[in-house]
Structure formats: C-alpha cells, structure tokens
Amino acid sequence: MIRIPAGAALALLYLAVPGFGAAAAAGGKPARETLPDTVIPSHYDLALTPDAEALTFSGKVTIDVTVRAATPDVVLNAVGLHFVHATADGGRDAAVTFDRETGRAALRFGAPLKRGKHKIAIEYDGTIARGTLGFFAMDYSSPEGPRRTLATNFEPAEARRLLPCWDEPARKATFTVSIDEPRDRMALSNMPVASITPLSGTLQRVRFAETPRMSTYLLFVGVGDFERIHRSIDGVDVGVVVKRGDTPKAAYALEQAVELLHYYNGYFGVRYPLPKLDLIASPGAIQGGSMENWGAIFYSQNHVLFDPATSTEADRQVVFQVVSHEMAHQWFGDLVTMSWWSDLWLNEGFARWMQTFAADALHPEWETGLQASSIFEAGKQADAVPSTHAVVQEILTPAQADQAFDSITYAKGAAIISMLNAYVGQDRFREGVRQYMRAHEYGNTTDSDLWTVMQRVVGKPILAIEHDFTRQEGVPLVRVTQTGSGVRLAEGRFAQDPETIRALPRQHWRLPLVVGPVVGEKRTVLLEDALDVRSQGAMLVNAGQLGYARVLYDDATFAALVPQVGTLAPMDQVGLLNDAYALGVAGYSPLSRLLQLPATLPPDANPIVWGRLIRLLTQLESHYSEGPARTAFRHFALELLAPLASHLGTVRSPAEAANLSVLRGVLLQAQADFGDADVIAAARRNFAGGSGTPEERRIDLAIVAAHADPATFASLLERARSADDPLDKLHLFTALGGVMDAGLARRMTDIALSDEVPAGVGPSILAVLARRHADVVWQAVAPQLDDPAIRLDPQERWGIAVAIAGQSADPRRIADLEAYEARSVPPEARKPSLGAVASIRQNVRFATQLLPQIDSWIAHGG
C-alpha cells in the first residue's frame, strides 16, 4: 500500500499496465519475468537516511532513463517500499500500482513520456530487515556494549528492497550514492568517498564517487562501527574493513588480497578498473556466505577474519579460498556479467574454479587442485539425483534464480571448466579468457560468448563439448571391460538410484579422458559412445580425474588396479575412493570395493587422500544405529586408521606440512566419533588445561562438545553466551551443534533459532545438528518455519527444510517435506526437495541393503 502524507497528490490506482503481472509468451508458454524494454535506466542518484534504532529508512532516487517509444507507464521493481512522491521531469505525482507477486511498481503519469531522455524522481521509505537479504541489520556484542551493523546483500533480485530500480543483471547503469549516518560510524559503498558534509553535531552526509556501469545486484551500502586497514597495489587502494577492535584479524586477508589483485590483473589481461577494493567483514554470516559487490565485497566473518591466536590452518586456507573466489568475481561477474540468471554458472562456476587455480599458483604447498576433488564430487553427487538440472537452465522468476545457486552451478560448473582448461592447455585457455574480457568488459554475455572465443583461440571443438555438459543434465558413466588386447570403454549415465533414469533416452557426451596403463604412457581420447583401447597390465581410465564422469571397472580390471593403489597419483587415489563409494551406494558394484582400497594405501600417502578416506568412513558410520553392528564397524575403522595415527603422532612438528596438521585434526575427530576412549579423554584434559596450538584447541573443543554431558554442555553454552567476539561465539556454538546427546541437541536447536547465536549463523548450526539428529531437529524446526517471528528470509526457510529433512532415514519425512512445500514454497522453487527425497530413500536403503553388505565383509575379514 501507499502512504499518502498530508498535501501530497500521489494517487493509487489498479491499472492494466503492459508488462505488469505474470509474463506469458505466445501460446501461453511461461516467459521470463523481465521488465518491459521501453524504458532503459542509465544512472541512479540515490540518497539514503537510515534509522538504525527504529529499523526504518527513507530514500530518494533520481533515475536517468531513455524512453525508446512513447509510453504512459514506467514499470520497475520495488518490494516493501512505500512511495511518497514519484515524478517525471519535475511534473505531477504519478499514480502508482504495486504487484507484490512480481515485485513491481507501475508509474502512470498525467501524460505519456515521449521518446528520449527523462528523469524519474521517487521519494520513498522502507524497513530494515532482520534476515540477511535486502537491506538488513546485524547485531552483536562488543566490549563497549551492543552494536548494530547495517548492510545489503542483493543477489539475485533483492536490490528492489532498497530502491526502486530495474533489478535485472542486463539493466546495467551507473550509481552515485549518499548516506546520512552518525558521525562516529563509517559508511561504505562500492566507490571511494567523494565528500563528507556535516549535518549536525552527530550526523554527516557521506557521498561516494560514481560507479562504472554495473548490475543492481552488485550495489552495496553499509554503515557500522568499522575500522579499515589498507595497502596499494597496481594503483588500487585495497582495504579490509572490520568491526572496531578486529584489525589484527584483518592482516592476513589484506596480504592475500594484495597478492590476488596483482595475480588477477595478469591472468585476466584487464586491470581491475575501480580505484578501491574493500573486503568487508560482517559480524556474523550472510545468506550465500559472501557477496561479490563490485569494489565492496561483503563476507561472512569466518570467510575473511584470521586470528593468529585462535585460527587454524584450515581457517587460513578457507579465508584464502573465499577471498580469491569473490575477488575473481570482480572480473567474472562484475566487469562482465551474465545477461540473465540462466547463465549464472558463468559467474559461479568460473569463480569456484579460479579459487583453486589461484591457490595452486600462489600457495602450491596446499595442493588445492587436489583438494578440489571434493568440489567435483559435490557436483557429481548433486547431478545424480532427480533434483538435478542442466547447468544452463531456463530461469523464469527470481525464486527460480535463487534456487540456481547450488552444487550444479558451482561445483559441476567448476568441474567442466577444469576439464576444458586441461583439454585445451592452460596458456591457450588463459588467452581465450583474456580475449573474452577485452571484448565484453562492462557488458553482459551468454556462456556461448565465452566458448566461441575460446574455440577460435584453441582450434578444438570446445563449444560442442561445453554444450554436451551444460545443456544436458547427468553424470556420464564409463564402463570399463577387459578385452583380449586391452579394455573397451562404453558410455552411459550414472544415477544414485538407477531406476530413476531407466526409462530416459540414452545420452551421449563428448568426454575428454586420459587413459593408459598404470605404469606407462597415457593419451587423451574423446569418448562419444564406445572405444577400444589397447593396453597391457593394469589400466587406468580418467587418469588425473579431470574428465567429468564416474568410471565403473569390471571385476577383472578393478582387481588388477587394487594392488597398484599405493603407486597411483594422489588425485587418482581420491578418484578411485569416490567412485567406489558412489558406485557401491548406487548398486553398480559392491560397496565393499571401497573397503579394499585402503589396504594398499601407505600411512605416508598424501594427507588429502587420507582425509577423504576418513570422511567416507565417517559417512558410513553415521548410517548405523546403536548396536553390535555399529560397534563392529567402529572397531574396524579404528584398526584401519591405527597405522596412520601412529605415523602422525599427536603433536605437530615445527617443520610439518600444513596439510598434515589439517589431517591430524580430521583423524582425531574421527577417532573420537568411533569411540576411542583415549582420544576423548585426552581432548577433555587438554581442553580443561587450555593448552596446545590453535588447531589442537579447536579439535579439543569439537570433541568435548560432541561428547558433552549436561554439565559440560551448560558450561560451554555459558562460555558461548558470554563471549563478546562474534567469531569466538561462532566457533563455540558451531561446536555445540555437533553434540551427540539427543536431548542436548533438542536444546541446541532452540538456541540456533534464537538471537543468542551470531547474526545469520542459525541455519548453518541447524545443518550441523541435523547430521546426527535429523528427526529431532525436524520436529523442532518444522512447526516454526512459517512463523514470521524467526529471523530467517523465506529462501533460508526453504533451504533449511530441505537440508534437515534430507538427513533423515525416516520415510515419514518425505510426506512432511512435501506438505510444507505445498503450503509455503512457490512451485518454481520446489525442485531441490527432490534431492532431499532421494537422500531420505538412500538413507533407508543404507539401513536395509548396504550396511548388511559391509557387516558381512567385515565379519569375514574382507
């Protein structure tokens, strides 16, 4: 509704406006929910006055537009805004219609706007949200007392909650922003401060320089009790902005950001075009994790803060990866932006790949390329269930766009890019990227624009391969069968439940694969259907694991490989483990194959390989209920890991590789999960004494919290509640989310939904709780998902429902989830629930079919 102040001439009408309401193409087929193209914005001049205490704001925006054909109406996006005045070229107030379903406002002026240039001015007000989308507040405690940060997070289509705008990625425009703020606070936006004007003894107006042309979802506004440290590199002022008192935790991110900016300038061949780049730490977590606003990246706190006194080696690598991911977006996404959300993978898949590629260049000791096997695996897992979709999918609405931020877009997208980079060669791939950047800077593209340039540069059928993997859903399955002179490769499709694809037409992919003997020369083939490969000895298919596929060896070829596992490259060891698990769970091969592989894995094998094996064992163990079978599996797992534990020891040596330190923590927590009383007792002693390195203290905390009795839980909870630092609170509350006791998990569920946890952190804690207590968490959370009092955005509610239900092994959760979605989730946003349903059914299958296989294998000594 419209608030009409005394004396205002604003009218509210319900009008039949062209392009207003749900869009439909010819023949009734649904069309993209896009605005009419008769009016094109070129510049926004935005003035904001937030009231942080009242959680309201007022705004005034003057928009320079070009009218292509005379029109009586201007249709733009606006959600939750109350217009006070809306004029064109200083004329009379427009009549305004709001359409809540599509998030639009239609302005009808007294006379049609003529073709040409015009200025539309809108005065309005709105509310500041308590979720982490749109324009929102984040509260936290500090030694000086309560503090409140105001910030924005707009992707994919939430800028319309801050200002009336054309909230679509292809409607690029320039922006100037001014903010009225308290003089003891810092205001932030995409560009440097251009001027500061005192308004009173306590208020000032901060005006920022004009941005380049950019999409609305990249606009950022923030106000808080901030401090900034900075350095200059390649003519750019790079800063890290943190809450007051946190500058020591900003030094590492600043150091890495400076290196990354210089590296990216070289890789992309186009220099970062803004005069400054800020990395801004939130006092909690935001939806999406972190957001690549151009020149003002907004991070969940644990993605940018690194405390030398308490942060771990794993924290160090996470900070680098997320900083590098969001900085890669400054080119891939911000400078060159997808035309529409259907090509989102151009942004996210490339940035997910680039974070790995940059890490290998700047920190080769981390072996991030090897760690990226977990990224590819996440893509394959998501691509093997009914909720999958093509990487390039038709997106019609903002709700659908929000659902596209998933493992298919990110992880499968990154896997495809890794495959193509390897296939064409790094140098030529980089040259293709550079030409694409120069050709499309400040513009919008589709994915074919990139791959057409790439194909021209490299002279290989890149477009055809890329289209096979981005226009089709599904994971290729390469069946390897021994022949008299080598092996035969035959292509099919893999599914977590083969019955779900049995009736589908046969698919083909042009699949680059490296094949050859385990010892000897290998070659790259392009598999399209079937192929015979001559070889002698044990045969390795998809060597290097860069082909996006599962590989199913027949019994003879697998048996020949098993004795060679210890001699394989670490990436191939991880690939065999992942495929053995996935194929065993799906029924293509015995799950016991997974348990055969570690026998030839030496204790000094690559720590990333051991880490993956430990996580797979932990995943298997999680499917057991209490009883003799679980006890037997735990005993088996502890015996299997004993040589590794002896090799690693319990104390880090000064010269130890970083990844060994990470592995030790993974191992100790697994040993505790498997019931190793000595490990649990040692963790309790060490935690009580407060001794050890940051890594040791963090793992001690996790073990103590997981095995807490009511008294220990209460002590840890009080410690979390009294902590002033949101980052300390995050670590403590996350550890409590791992508690094994079901009654304490129920208490922790209520805490995760409360204001006690850092802003925006509740959903991640619920996800941790659901790993061990899915049904307990569901029964507590489900009745509250429709309660407007809980501070969760609608998209977070939908995601939480899917994440919790999918961890259950109770078939009743399927009906519960379907009932919730029918009641509360738009139809176009329901596809992710198909993955949760598939997960529940898989969990049931584990209990009834798969665990008995493992039990039998263990009982008979393998």
Side-chain angles (χ1 to χ4, degrees):
M1 62 182 295
I2 288 294
R3 180 169 64 86
I4 307 175
L10 193 66
L12 178 62
L13 300 176
Y14 288 89
L15 306 169
V17 178
F20 201 53
K29 181 181 178 181
R32 289 179 180 174
E33 197 175 272
T34 55
L35 294 166
D37 61 1
T38 51
V39 181
I40 305 298
S42 59
H43 179 74
Y44 297 85
D45 191 324
L46 173 65
L48 292 172
T49 303
D51 185 333
E53 184 174 348
L55 291 177
T56 60
F57 69 95
S58 60
K60 181 176 181 179
V61 63
T62 301
I63 311 171
D64 294 339
V65 301
T66 299
V67 176
R68 291 177 165 181
T71 178
D73 309 298
V74 173
V75 181
L76 41 62
N77 294 118
V79 170
L81 304 178
H82 305 283
F83 287 14
V84 178
H85 293 283
T87 64
D89 304 320
R92 298 174 59 187
D93 278 321
V96 182
T97 305
F98 284 88
D99 185 331
R100 294 181 61 186
E101 183 178 347
T102 59
R104 296 178 182 179
L107 313 180
R108 172 157 289 184
F109 300 100
L113 294 186
K114 296 180 180 179
R115 188 171 180 271
K117 307 287 187 183
H118 297 272
K119 285 185 180 290
I120 297 173
I122 304 173
E123 295 180 36
Y124 61 97
D125 54 59
T127 57
I128 298 172
R130 297 310 304 268
T132 59
L133 283 177
F135 187 29
F136 53 89
M138 303 182 78
D139 294 341
Y140 63 97
S141 300
S142 77
E144 295 77 29
R147 290 289 185 268
R148 174 167 284 174
T149 293
L150 304 181
T152 58
N153 182 21
F154 290 151
E155 193 174 26
E158 303 291 336
R160 60 192 70 183
R161 296 185 182 274
L162 179 75
L163 76 160
C165 59
W166 280 257
D167 200 10
E168 297 170 6
R171 304 297 180 95
K172 287 191 169 184
T174 57
F175 293 80
T176 51
V177 176
S178 68
I179 306 172
D180 293 352
E181 60 152 4
R183 296 178 74 168
D184 63 348
R185 296 293 184 260
M186 182 186 294
L188 302 164
S189 192
N190 306 78
M191 295 293 285
V193 172
S195 65
I196 299 177
T197 304
L199 300 177
S200 69
T202 58
L203 287 176
Q204 62 186 10
R205 178 166 296 155
V206 180
R207 188 166 180 83
F208 299 91
E210 183 176 313
T211 72
R213 291 183 70 248
M214 67 181 196
S215 304
T216 50
Y217 78 90
L218 297 171
L219 180 65
F220 179 78
V221 171
V223 178
D225 187 14
F226 293 133
E227 294 180 305
R228 182 177 189 263
I229 62 172
H230 63 109
R231 282 174 54 189
S232 180
I233 183 72
D234 295 347
V236 177
D237 179 27
V238 180
V240 179
V241 180
V242 296
K243 68 178 180 62
R244 188 172 302 279
D246 271 356
T247 53
K249 302 174 188 175
Y252 173 68
L254 178 60
E255 172 191 279
Q256 300 308 306
V258 166
E259 285 194 42
L260 281 161
L261 189 102
H262 182 69
Y263 175 78
Y264 284 155
N265 278 339
Y267 184 88
F268 290 115
V270 175
R271 282 180 170 256
Y272 176 78
L274 277 63
K276 69 96 174 173
L277 172 61
D278 282 332
L279 284 62
I280 304 159
S282 76
I286 65 169
Q287 187 163 325
S290 294
M291 178 58 208
E292 66 266 21
N293 315 297
W294 211 2
I297 307 171
F298 196 44
Y299 290 88
S300 293
Q301 58 177 347
N302 59 312
H303 289 169
V304 72
L305 298 180
F306 183 85
D307 186 346
T310 62
S311 295
T312 67
E313 178 59 35
D315 293 336
R316 184 193 306 276
Q317 295 185 28
V318 165
V319 167
F320 180 90
Q321 297 248 338
V322 182
V323 167
S324 61
H325 178 107
E326 303 304 339
M327 285 184 62
H329 275 310
Q330 304 298 292
W331 286 263
F332 242 97
D334 297 3
L335 179 64
V336 182
T337 312
M338 77 264 143
S339 293
W340 182 245
W341 301 109
S342 299
D343 285 303
L344 177 64
W345 89 284
L346 271 182
N347 289 9
E348 299 301 349
F350 196 94
R352 180 60 57 89
W353 171 76
M354 196 72 198
Q355 72 186 47
T356 297
F357 193 79
D360 276 344
L362 299 178
H363 292 283
E365 71 277 10
W366 293 342
E367 297 185 278
T368 311
L370 176 57
Q371 294 189 51
S373 59
S374 64
I375 296 175
F376 307 155
E377 187 63 16
K380 291 175 185 176
Q381 290 171 2
D383 207 14
V385 295
S387 56
T388 190
H389 56 80
V391 173
V392 177
Q393 60 176 322
E394 185 57 83
I395 301 291
L396 302 179
T397 69
Q400 283 183 317
D402 185 77
Q403 300 300 307
F405 291 81
D406 61 10
S407 290
I408 301 298
T409 296
Y410 283 77
K412 182 178 180 178
I416 293 168
I417 293 170
S418 296
M419 179 174 67
L420 293 174
N421 178 63
Y423 181 60
V424 306
Q426 293 184 9
D427 291 342
R428 289 189 295 173
F429 188 88
R430 180 182 59 202
E431 179 55 32
V433 169
R434 288 174 170 179
Q435 290 191 22
Y436 168 79
M437 283 289 155
R438 289 193 291 268
H440 297 287
E441 56 185 341
Y442 303 105
N444 297 85
T445 62
T446 66
D447 77 329
S448 292
D449 293 321
L450 169 62
W451 303 112
T452 298
V453 171
M454 190 72 68
Q455 182 162 288
R456 185 171 64 245
V457 169
V458 305
K460 289 186 176 182
I462 301 302
L463 265 173
I465 296 171
E466 183 265 341
H467 277 210
D468 282 352
F469 284 89
T470 62
R471 270 61 175 181
Q472 294 187 95
E473 60 187 38
V475 184
L477 175 65
V478 180
R479 295 179 181 270
V480 184
T481 308
Q482 196 169 68
T483 66
S485 58
V487 297
R488 181 170 180 79
L489 311 181
E491 193 179 66
R493 178 175 171 180
F494 169 81
Q496 179 180 286
D497 179 357
E499 287 298 322
T500 62
I501 62 169
R502 195 172 303 280
L504 298 179
R506 190 175 179 192
Q507 293 174 256
H508 296 284
W509 293 264
R510 278 157 279 203
L511 172 63
L513 286 174
V514 177
V515 300
V518 169
V519 179
E521 186 177 350
K522 299 172 181 63
R523 63 189 178 99
T524 300
V525 300
L526 196 62
L527 180 64
E528 296 186 51
D529 184 13
L531 184 68
D532 290 318
V533 179
R534 297 181 64 85
S535 180
Q536 292 182 342
M539 184 74 170
L540 187 61
V541 176
N542 198 19
Q545 305 301 307
L546 289 171
Y548 181 77
R550 297 274 185 216
V551 177
L552 174 60
Y553 296 95
D554 68 6
D555 289 342
T557 51
F558 184 78
L561 264 178
V562 170
Q564 306 291 328
V565 167
T567 68
L568 297 179
M571 183 64 88
D572 292 318
Q573 293 172 335
V574 172
L576 279 174
L577 290 171
N578 286 336
D579 282 350
Y581 179 85
L583 292 164
V585 168
Y588 291 90
S589 62
L591 186 53
S592 58
R593 278 190 178 184
L594 172 68
L595 305 180
Q596 297 177 44
L597 296 174
T600 55
L601 194 65
D604 62 351
N606 190 287
I608 295 168
V609 179
W610 271 111
R612 181 56 183 159
L613 174 60
I614 292 169
R615 289 182 176 93
L616 288 173
L617 291 172
T618 303
Q619 198 165 335
L620 288 176
E621 191 273 344
S622 70
H623 289 281
Y624 280 95
S625 300
E626 288 299 337
R630 171 174 261 182
T631 300
F633 181 86
R634 286 176 168 179
H635 180 72
F636 162 79
L638 287 171
E639 283 195 338
L640 182 65
L641 298 176
L644 174 65
S646 177
H647 173 73
L648 282 180
T650 58
V651 179
R652 178 178 182 174
S653 66
E656 183 174 279
N659 288 341
L660 280 176
S661 177
V662 175
L663 174 60
R664 184 178 291 104
V666 172
L667 173 62
L668 287 169
Q669 190 157 355
Q671 288 174 304
D673 286 349
F674 298 155
D676 189 316
D678 292 339
V679 169
I680 296 169
R684 287 171 173 159
R685 286 194 305 270
N686 295 337
F687 184 74
S691 61
T693 66
E695 283 87 357
E696 291 164 348
R697 294 197 301 272
R698 185 77 62 78
I699 201 66
D700 289 339
L701 169 62
I703 293 171
V704 169
H707 297 270
D709 58 19
T712 304
F713 183 88
S715 175
L716 290 173
L717 181 57
E718 179 55 33
R719 184 170 168 177
R721 285 169 169 165
S722 61
D724 283 333
D725 186 348
L727 192 59
D728 290 342
K729 280 184 179 289
L730 171 68
H731 294 151
L732 287 160
F733 278 120
T734 300
L736 286 168
V739 67
M740 288 186 171
D741 182 271
L744 297 176
R746 176 64 183 83
R747 284 185 59 194
M748 193 60 212
T749 301
D750 290 337
I751 293 167
L753 289 170
S754 74
D755 296 339
E756 293 188 63
V757 300
V761 169
S764 64
I765 295 176
L766 291 172
V768 172
L769 282 161
R771 292 173 194 166
R772 287 190 169 117
H773 309 283
D775 297 317
V776 169
V777 177
W778 175 266
Q779 288 161 7
V781 172
Q784 302 182 66
L785 285 173
D786 293 324
D787 183 354
I790 60 172
R791 295 177 178 179
L792 298 173
D793 297 298
Q795 296 91 325
E796 286 181 304
R797 297 167 192 249
W798 309 339
I800 285 170
V802 167
I804 296 172
Q807 298 289 332
S808 177
D810 186 340
R812 291 176 296 181
R813 291 292 87 78
I814 296 174
D816 291 345
L817 179 61
E818 290 172 345
Y820 165 70
E821 295 215 320
R823 181 175 69 249
S824 304
V825 182
E828 64 269 23
R830 294 177 190 169
K831 193 169 187 183
S833 69
L834 298 177
V837 170
S839 178
I840 295 167
R841 288 177 174 151
Q842 183 192 71
N843 294 339
V844 173
R845 193 161 62 249
F846 253 102
T848 58
Q849 300 175 28
L850 299 174
L851 296 184
Q853 287 184 33
I854 297 173
D855 298 340
S856 175
W857 191 87
I858 292 173
H860 291 86

